């Protein structure tokens, strides 16, 4: 059984909580004691239907304010797949949360209220999904019961969304008309919308092909930890293994490789796991490599193929999403940076522009990036990074920026490439 | 695993993610420790940690926060695993904290020491200067946990601030902290109870015998079967009888409920878990049912 991670986005009251509650409920991921607690709360509040939205309500602050404030994770499974939902809140300050929740998603699910149609926030959600390189985008047009199950309305919204999405890097776009409240097209096909000949949402989630979304071409193995048993007496005396998580491509014993930054060449002697050696490794397997040569390799190094190396450099261009209210990103800012298994420091050489994520307009006069803002920057790092374009590989193309005094994560970066010096 | 399609099963993906997290901690922290209660989640976490560093030994110790109210089978299991793996065990004792007058024990019917564990846990973290503490909590267990990060920051007082969590992106974990602060790390965040049981069955993870159906003297309280222990006081209406039960979680013996079950092996337990209609905590943890916000409040104080 395969694992699919998806992120949900919608504006307040579009019905996101109801939809997730419905998916969990209909797939039997809701337990009786959870349901009882929701029924009790719902009755106390005087709701007419049991409010399935309460199922996905988390912290006390949210219960008090009646809104979701952060990313919450939910789990359910069908006989075909196991699902992890990153449920991101729908209020205005959500860019940070959506970026956080969607960074590892295979699929983004965007909700639109059929009565309201495509609004500013729907555009933002689509843009963020494309920025984060989420391979599949599913747009649920909800509350179809309130527009008389109208095909015309559905087609209208679909056309408008499509014309906007054309400007983005969205490869796989699907639309589903649903009623989260009544369950139409959520798990089973709706009888109220015979004109719709696509799949129900759950069916789509089960069938979307994700195995080929990974990069299986560019072999990348960032060394995470060096395993050297301390037991000097045993046969493990000379054991030296490089543990890590495959970040791209496929590696096999016998493959010729180079280690960056040293550039030393060697051959993979074996790929070990605790269950014994394996014949090949690919993302996201966690394995331990042994090399035929006794060369110096440590955490932060990268094992790859001689003829297919990542970029190596200290000057990069990237899109950065700013995640804090405490400080701003400006030209001249100095931050800690974590990329694969390397830490270094980064200097913002230039904030090239701030992007208006509603209009996609580039504001080149912007002097700073604040919370929930996204911009394009040039960075200079203290250590060379071994990276690929984010579009090509999310694992080797992403980094985080950390404030050196508070130690909190303040920025999320997606690498566009080396700085164009011309 | 299929070598033609390059697909991993959900258990392989979850295992790889957990091993990545555990190695990241070993690489970036000076003094990690793994909380090992003998419960199934901590047993799985220990199993994963051992796999992460094979063939080398586990590069950090394990710690048991001991309420003093243990099932003997669980203590025996704990000591056996520690001996087998040749690792160091740190015991943080709630009884010691009570004896030293650091905490006051509630007494009477239904009192438990669960909440007192926080004090002993935080004291041990401070004493041993642990900077990373692995916990076996899962996000599917409880609503407050559903929002917690994999690397969860704790301030000087061990407190969790749910509104001020660090954003966590890709698999780039940020464990930076100042002296006196620490990070709780949850490698099983994305596992469900069913995943845990499926993994235990697939890997043959050793567990304490009380997880399997057995005859036990129990009594009913608040709709749960509680075990008769040397520390339990029952009221008149509570009658002790012998039943065939098993445990779904293992905590303080006085407040961990058993479920009636004849599932005596892993296959039977996986079957039962797949169709169960009650959450693990709802069915078996008297302490968690106190209030809707019970867990959130305790977590803020520094609980697991
Ligand atoms: N008629 C109708 N109402 C819906 C539908 N989905 C959600 N709602 C209602 O819309 C309101 C907001 O839903 P909720 O799920 O809380 O929205 P969220 O803010 O996006 O999570 C609630 O009163 C729901 O009952 C739907 O498909 N049809």
């Amino acid at each position: 059984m395969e694992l699919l991670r998806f992120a949900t986005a919608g504006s307040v009251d579009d019905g996101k909580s109801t939809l997730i509650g419905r998916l969990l409920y209909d797939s039997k991921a809701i337990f009786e004691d959870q349901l009882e607690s929701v029924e009790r709360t719902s009755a106390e509040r005087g709701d007419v239907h049991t409010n399935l939205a309460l199922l996905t309500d988390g912290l006390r602050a949210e219960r008090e304010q009646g809104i979701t404030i952060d990313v919450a994770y939910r789990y359910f499974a069908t006989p075909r797949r196991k699902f992890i939902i990153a449920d991101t809140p729908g209020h205005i300050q959500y860019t940070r949360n959506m970026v956080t929740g969607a960074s590892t998603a295979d699929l983004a699910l965007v909700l639109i209220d059929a009565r309201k149609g495509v609004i500013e926030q729907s555009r933002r959600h689509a843009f963020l999904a494309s920025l984060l390189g989420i391979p599949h985008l599913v747009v649920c047009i909800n509350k179809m019961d309130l527009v008389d199950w109208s095909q015309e309305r559905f087609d209208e919204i679909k056309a408008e969304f499509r014309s906007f999405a054309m400007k983005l890097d969205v490869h796989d776009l699907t639309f589903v008309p649903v009623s989260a409240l009544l369950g139409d097209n959520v798990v089973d096909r709706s009888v109220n919308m015979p004109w719709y000949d696509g799949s129900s949402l759950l069916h789509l989630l089960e069938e979307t092909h994700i195995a080929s979304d990974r990069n299986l071409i560019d072999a990348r193995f960032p060394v995470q930890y060096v395993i050297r048993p301390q037991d000097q007496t045993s046969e493990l005396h000379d054991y030296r293994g490089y543990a890590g998580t495959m970040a791209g491509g496929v590696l096999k014993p016998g493959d010729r490789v180079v280690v960056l930054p040293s550039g030393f060449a060697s051959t993979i002697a074996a790929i070990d796991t605790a269950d014994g050696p394996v014949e090949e490794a690919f993302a996201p397997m966690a394995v331990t490599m042994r090399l035929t040569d006794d060369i110096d390799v440590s955490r932060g190094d990268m094992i790859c193929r001689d003829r297919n190396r990542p970029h190596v450099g200290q000057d990069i261009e990237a899109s950065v999403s700013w995640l804090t209210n405490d400080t701003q990103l400006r030209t001249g800012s100095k931050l800690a940076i974590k990329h694969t298994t390397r830490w270094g420091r980064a200097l913002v050489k230039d904030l090239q522009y701030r992007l208006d994520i509603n209009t996609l307009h580039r504001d080149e006069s912007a002097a700073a990036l604040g919370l929930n803002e996204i911009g394009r920057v040039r960075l200079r790092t203290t250590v060379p990074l071994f990276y690929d374009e984010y579009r090509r590989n999310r694992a080797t193309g992403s980094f985080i920026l950390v404030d050196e005094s508070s130690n909190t994560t303040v920025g999320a970066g997606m690498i566009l490439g080396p700085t164009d010096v011309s | 695993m299929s070598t033609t399609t390059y697909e991993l099963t959900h258990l392989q993906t979850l295992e790889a993610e957990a091993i990545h997290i555990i190695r990241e901690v070993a690489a970036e922290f000076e003094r990690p420790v793994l909380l090992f209660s003998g419960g199934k989640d901590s047993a799985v976490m220990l199993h994963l940690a051992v796999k992460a560093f094979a063939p080398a030994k586990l590069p950090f110790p394990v710690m048991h926060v001991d309420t003093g109210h243990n099932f003997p089978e669980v203590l025996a299991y704990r000591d056996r695993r520690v001996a087998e793996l040749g690792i160091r065990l740190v015991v943080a004792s709630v009884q010691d904290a009570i004896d030293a007058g650091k905490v006051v024990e509630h007494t009477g019917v239904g009192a438990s020491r669960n909440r007192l564990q926080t004090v002993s846990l935080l004291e041990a973290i401070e004493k041993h200067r642990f900077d990373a503490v692995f916990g076996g909590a899962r996000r599917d267990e409880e609503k407050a946990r559903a929002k917690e990060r994999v690397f969860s920051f704790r301030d000087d007082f061990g407190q969790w601030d749910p509104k001020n969590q660090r954003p966590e992106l890709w698999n780039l974990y940020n464990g930076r902290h100042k002296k006196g602060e620490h990070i709780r790390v949850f490698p099983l965040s994305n596992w469900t109870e069913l995943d845990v049981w499926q993994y235990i069955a697939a890997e043959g993870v050793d567990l304490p015998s009380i997880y399997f159906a057995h005859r036990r003297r129990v009594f009913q309280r608040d709709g749960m079967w509680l075990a008769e222990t040397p520390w339990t006081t029952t009221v008149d209406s509570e009658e002790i009888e012998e039943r065939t039960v098993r445990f779904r979680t293992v905590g303080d013996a006085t407040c961990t409920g058993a479920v009636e079950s004849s599932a005596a092996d892993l296959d039977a337990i996986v079957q039962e878990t797949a169709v169960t209609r009650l959450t693990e905590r709802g069915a078996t943890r008297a302490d968690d049912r106190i209030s809707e916000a019970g867990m959130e409040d305790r977590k803020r104080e520094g609980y697991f």
Side-chain angles (χ1 to χ4, degrees):
Chain A
M1 195 162 71
E2 226 180 357
L3 185 67
L4 180 121
R5 298 175 203 253
F6 69 96
T8 56
S11 317
V12 182
D13 286 343
D14 283 350
K16 188 162 59 68
S17 312
T18 310
L19 183 70
I20 294 172
R22 168 70 55 193
L23 276 174
L24 299 181
Y25 182 74
D26 285 356
S27 65
K28 309 228 169 1
I30 302 297
F31 296 97
E32 272 166 25
D33 48 327
Q34 289 173 317
L35 195 62
E36 268 168 31
S37 140
V38 162
E39 277 167 355
R40 216 180 314 122
T41 313
S42 212
E44 277 163 20
R45 296 177 10 152
D47 296 334
V48 184
H49 300 278
T50 293
N51 189 347
L52 290 180
L54 291 173
L55 283 169
T56 62
D57 235 18
L59 304 183
R60 165 180 296 188
E62 295 171 352
R63 276 195 297 278
E64 282 162 4
Q65 295 158 27
I67 53 160
T68 320
I69 52 167
D70 204 331
V71 187
Y73 297 88
R74 323 275 169 208
Y75 303 84
F76 71 102
T78 67
R80 291 209 21 93
R81 261 188 187 160
K82 172 183 159 99
F83 299 95
I84 301 180
I85 312 177
D87 180 14
T88 62
H91 59 99
I92 308 294
Q93 300 288 317
Y94 68 86
T95 301
R96 161 193 149 124
N97 299 319
M98 180 162 169
V99 169
T100 301
S103 67
T104 54
D106 302 300
L107 181 150
L109 198 159
V110 172
L111 252 92
I112 291 180
D113 185 329
R115 296 169 305 173
K116 298 185 201 152
V118 179
I119 57 171
E120 195 173 288
Q121 290 199 38
S122 329
R123 282 191 253 276
R124 254 190 256 178
H125 295 139
F127 168 72
L128 290 174
S130 105
L131 180 80
L132 285 159
I134 302 177
H136 309 275
L137 183 58
V138 175
V139 180
C140 280
I141 300 177
N142 188 31
K143 308 199 184 182
M144 289 300 292
D145 54 307
L146 299 181
V147 296
D148 284 335
W149 315 105
S150 158
Q151 178 176 15
E152 209 185 332
R153 183 69 187 134
F154 175 71
D155 288 340
E156 197 178 9
I157 295 172
K158 195 163 125 180
E160 194 183 339
F161 195 96
R162 269 238 165 83
S163 75
F164 175 74
M166 271 178 16
K167 294 186 235 163
L168 306 171
D169 197 11
V170 176
H171 301 287
D172 179 26
L173 179 60
T174 318
F175 297 86
V176 190
V178 301
S179 169
L181 188 68
L182 305 176
D184 292 71
N185 282 338
V186 177
V187 170
D188 298 313
R189 289 274 303 275
S190 164
V191 290
N192 292 309
M193 294 176 276
W195 46 264
Y196 172 71
D197 55 10
S199 308
S200 73
L201 174 62
L202 185 65
H203 193 68
L204 252 175
L205 294 173
E206 288 182 320
E207 298 299 325
T208 300
H209 186 63
I210 53 167
S212 52
D213 294 338
R214 277 164 312 156
N215 181 321
L216 290 169
I217 298 163
D218 312 309
R220 302 285 184 262
F221 185 74
V223 175
Q224 194 182 10
Y225 187 87
V226 180
I227 294 182
R228 298 185 67 178
Q230 296 300 308
D231 189 354
Q232 295 298 331
T233 52
S234 71
E235 72 274 25
L236 295 173
H237 181 72
D238 292 324
Y239 189 96
R240 197 182 165 87
Y242 307 111
T245 302
M246 284 293 289
V250 181
L251 286 172
K252 298 184 175 71
D255 283 354
R256 289 293 291 167
V257 291
V258 293
V259 181
L260 300 175
S262 69
F264 286 134
S266 187
T267 301
I268 297 178
I271 303 177
D272 292 336
T273 70
D275 302 313
V278 292
E279 282 311 303
E280 53 192 350
F282 51 90
M285 287 170 68
V287 295
T288 303
M289 303 269 174
R290 274 186 290 137
L291 302 179
T292 52
D293 302 273
D294 206 4
I295 52 180
D296 188 30
V297 181
S298 47
R299 174 173 166 88
D301 290 1
M302 170 81 82
I303 295 175
C304 60
R305 286 182 208 281
D306 186 24
R307 301 273 177 95
N308 179 345
R309 301 182 181 207
H311 297 284
V312 177
Q314 290 170 257
D315 292 284
I316 54 171
E317 280 195 31
S319 298
V320 168
S321 165
W322 199 246
L323 309 169
T324 183
N325 227 342
D326 299 335
T327 58
Q328 294 189 318
L329 176 143
R330 298 170 181 279
T331 298
S333 296
K334 286 185 185 133
L335 299 144
I337 183 169
K338 187 178 190 184
H339 170 262
T340 64
T341 54
R342 299 206 118 194
W343 278 100
R345 299 183 72 210
L347 167 68
V348 179
K349 297 280 277 187
D350 185 22
L351 169 59
Q352 293 172 280
Y353 58 79
R354 183 176 61 206
L355 199 68
D356 181 324
I357 58 175
N358 300 315
T359 60
L360 303 187
H361 173 75
R362 298 171 175 187
D363 180 1
E364 290 176 11
S365 66
L369 287 185
L371 176 64
N372 294 315
E373 293 182 334
I374 290 167
R376 179 161 170 157
V377 300
R378 286 185 172 164
L379 297 178
R380 166 97 186 154
T381 58
T382 50
V383 293
L385 305 183
F386 317 124
Y387 64 93
D388 295 286
E389 286 84 10
Y390 186 78
R391 291 261 151 262
R392 199 164 168 87
N393 188 327
R394 286 163 90 182
T396 54
S398 53
F399 60 84
I400 55 170
L401 296 171
V402 172
D403 185 282
E404 291 180 302
S405 62
S406 69
N407 285 330
T408 60
T409 307
V410 291
M414 288 136 285
I415 301 176
L416 298 156
T419 298
D420 183 4
V421 283
S422 62
Chain B
M1 127 191 8
S2 156
T3 50
T4 46
T5 56
Y6 299 109
E7 281 178 32
L8 298 179
T9 65
H10 73 294
L11 291 180
Q12 289 170 328
T13 308
L14 291 172
E15 178 187 72
E17 179 182 82
I19 288 178
H20 177 85
I21 292 162
I22 294 166
R23 286 173 173 167
E24 207 55 15
V25 170
E28 293 205 345
F29 290 81
E30 279 168 30
R31 303 172 74 85
V33 69
L34 183 145
L35 293 176
F36 181 58
S37 62
K40 68 176 188 314
D41 298 313
S42 70
V44 165
M45 184 165 65
L46 180 58
H47 180 84
L48 288 161
V50 169
K51 287 186 93 169
F53 303 103
K57 266 192 190 161
L58 195 66
F60 42 75
V62 300
M63 174 157 74
H64 180 208
V65 182
D66 181 358
T67 64
H69 294 162
N70 298 295
F71 292 104
E73 298 91 331
V74 178
L75 276 192
Y77 165 84
R78 178 196 79 182
D79 294 339
R80 175 160 45 85
R81 285 300 286 152
V82 165
E84 279 165 5
L85 296 169
I87 51 180
R88 187 160 74 90
L89 169 72
V90 176
V91 177
S93 160
V94 172
Q95 186 64 53
D96 288 354
I98 294 169
D99 294 346
K102 286 172 186 151
V103 291
V104 177
E105 184 172 25
H106 293 266
T107 49
V109 175
S112 105
R113 289 183 169 183
N114 239 20
R115 204 160 179 160
L116 304 183
Q117 291 180 95
T118 303
V119 175
S120 302
L121 171 66
L122 293 179
E123 224 178 54
I125 291 171
E126 202 173 305
K127 178 171 151 209
H128 297 275
R129 289 180 288 119
F130 291 130
D131 52 1
V133 181
F134 287 105
R138 310 185 317 264
R139 287 175 178 151
D140 81 320
E141 277 178 79
E142 203 277 330
K143 283 191 211 170
R145 294 208 192 275
K147 314 222 144 179
E148 188 157 18
R149 306 293 190 240
V150 173
F151 272 42
S152 187
F153 175 80
R154 296 299 143 99
D155 68 12
D156 291 307
F157 301 96
Q159 298 181 105
W160 179 58
D161 180 359
K163 277 211 189 155
N164 202 10
Q165 298 198 78
R166 295 176 179 177
E168 195 157 79
L169 300 108
W170 300 290
N171 63 0
L172 297 173
Y173 300 103
N174 173 9
R176 291 171 70 115
H177 61 281
K178 294 177 188 142
K179 223 176 138 180
E181 300 166 343
H182 73 274
I183 308 282
R184 298 283 174 89
V185 182
F186 302 105
L188 305 185
S189 287
N190 286 324
W191 298 51
T192 61
E193 186 188 11
L194 184 58
D195 297 329
V196 168
W197 281 115
Q198 285 173 338
Y199 186 77
I200 289 169
E203 293 279 303
V205 178
D206 190 15
L207 286 186
S209 57
I210 67 168
Y211 277 109
F212 303 93
H214 57 286
R215 299 290 290 174
R216 180 176 288 272
R217 284 169 59 78
V218 292
F219 64 95
Q220 200 148 37
R221 178 179 293 165
D222 299 336
M224 270 187 293
W225 291 106
L226 292 182
E228 180 193 33
T229 69
W231 315 280
T232 347
T233 16
T234 49
V235 296
D236 284 347
S237 56
E238 294 169 336
E239 252 176 71
I240 296 193
E241 49 191 302
E242 197 175 280
R243 297 249 164 188
T244 301
V245 297
R246 67 178 175 89
F247 290 87
R248 282 173 73 185
T249 68
V250 166
D252 185 297
T254 61
C255 61
T256 304
V259 291
E260 276 204 281
S261 164
S262 57
D265 60 34
L266 288 171
D267 285 342
I269 292 175
V270 170
Q271 287 291 325
E272 245 184 46
T273 307
V275 298
T276 184
R277 301 304 307 138
L278 280 183
T279 60
E280 194 175 285
R281 289 188 169 269
T284 63
R285 295 294 271 268
D287 53 315
D288 284 349
R289 305 211 303 188
I290 297 161
S291 78
E292 264 276 275
M295 179 60 82
E296 191 179 328
D297 289 340
R298 264 185 295 161
K299 283 184 66 63
R300 283 171 181 274
E301 292 165 9
Y303 189 70
F304 303 124

